[in-house]
Amino acid sequence: MSDDAPRTVAARIGDDLPRVDVIGLANTRRIMHAERHNDGSRMPMFIPTPSWARLLELHCMGDGDQPRLVPSRVMDGLERALGRIMTEVVRHDAGQDAPLRPVYDVTSDLFGAEGPVEIRMLVDRTTGVACMLAGPPADIAALPLESAP
């Protein structure tokens, strides 16, 4: 089995996950999908738009002799990396028979050497769909993620 093979791990969604306007954040381009392919077997993944700009800067632009990637390749890598992170988070909590928590801090250089990556588990307040939001803590902190009443 390849490292990128799909893995399904059942997750329990806790009642304490914030209910936020995920669709509104996406429609106003404050966040963006961090995946191109989702067959419905996993929760949707998003990143703050400034985090995407940082990834493009790191991997598509710049000087030097480093080969540069096209944005579609960066998106493919982002989707695989976040899928692996999500699988590990869910696997850990399922192994503890615990529901998903609202916040996780993950050690990763995904968005640059400054790490870490903050993972937020959210529920869209309109659709009730659980989503994952990932990015550098400063990018996450800039978003209005307060729960709806």
Side-chain angles (χ1 to χ4, degrees), residues 117-135:
V117 174
E118 186 171 312
I119 306 293
R120 295 286 186 110
M121 298 298 179
L122 311 168
V123 175
D124 180 68
R125 70 176 173 217
T126 303
T127 64
V129 173
C131 306
M132 176 181 146
L133 175 66

Side-chain angles (χ1 to χ4, degrees), residues 15-66:
D15 292 334
D16 61 342
L17 295 187
R19 307 254 192 270
V20 301
D21 186 7
V22 175
I23 293 173
L25 290 170
N27 285 342
T28 58
R29 298 185 179 180
R30 307 261 328 254
I31 63 173
M32 60 177 281
H33 272 102
E35 58 194 344
R36 294 191 319 169
H37 313 287
N38 188 337
D39 62 5
S41 65
R42 68 174 180 223
M43 66 178 69
M45 299 182 296
F46 295 89
I47 62 171
T49 302
S51 300
W52 175 246
R54 184 172 296 110
L55 287 174
L56 293 179
E57 184 179 308
L58 285 170
H59 300 293
C60 300
M61 299 176 255
D63 47 37
D65 296 330
Q66 296 291 333

Side-chain angles (χ1 to χ4, degrees), residues 40-115:
S41 65
R42 68 174 180 223
M43 66 178 69
M45 299 182 296
F46 295 89
I47 62 171
T49 302
S51 300
W52 175 246
R54 184 172 296 110
L55 287 174
L56 293 179
E57 184 179 308
L58 285 170
H59 300 293
C60 300
M61 299 176 255
D63 47 37
D65 296 330
Q66 296 291 333
R68 307 321 293 167
L69 300 174
V70 295
S72 62
R73 294 285 308 263
V74 176
M75 179 60 76
D76 288 341
L78 174 65
E79 184 175 9
R80 284 191 309 273
L82 290 179
R84 285 191 299 267
I85 289 170
M86 183 188 304
T87 297
E88 291 307 312
V89 163
V90 170
R91 182 176 288 141
H92 175 269
D93 285 356
Q96 304 291 320
D97 194 31
L100 293 175
R101 297 185 315 240
V103 180
Y104 297 86
D105 289 314
V106 177
T107 302
S108 173
D109 62 354
L110 179 60
F111 295 101
E114 68 273 2

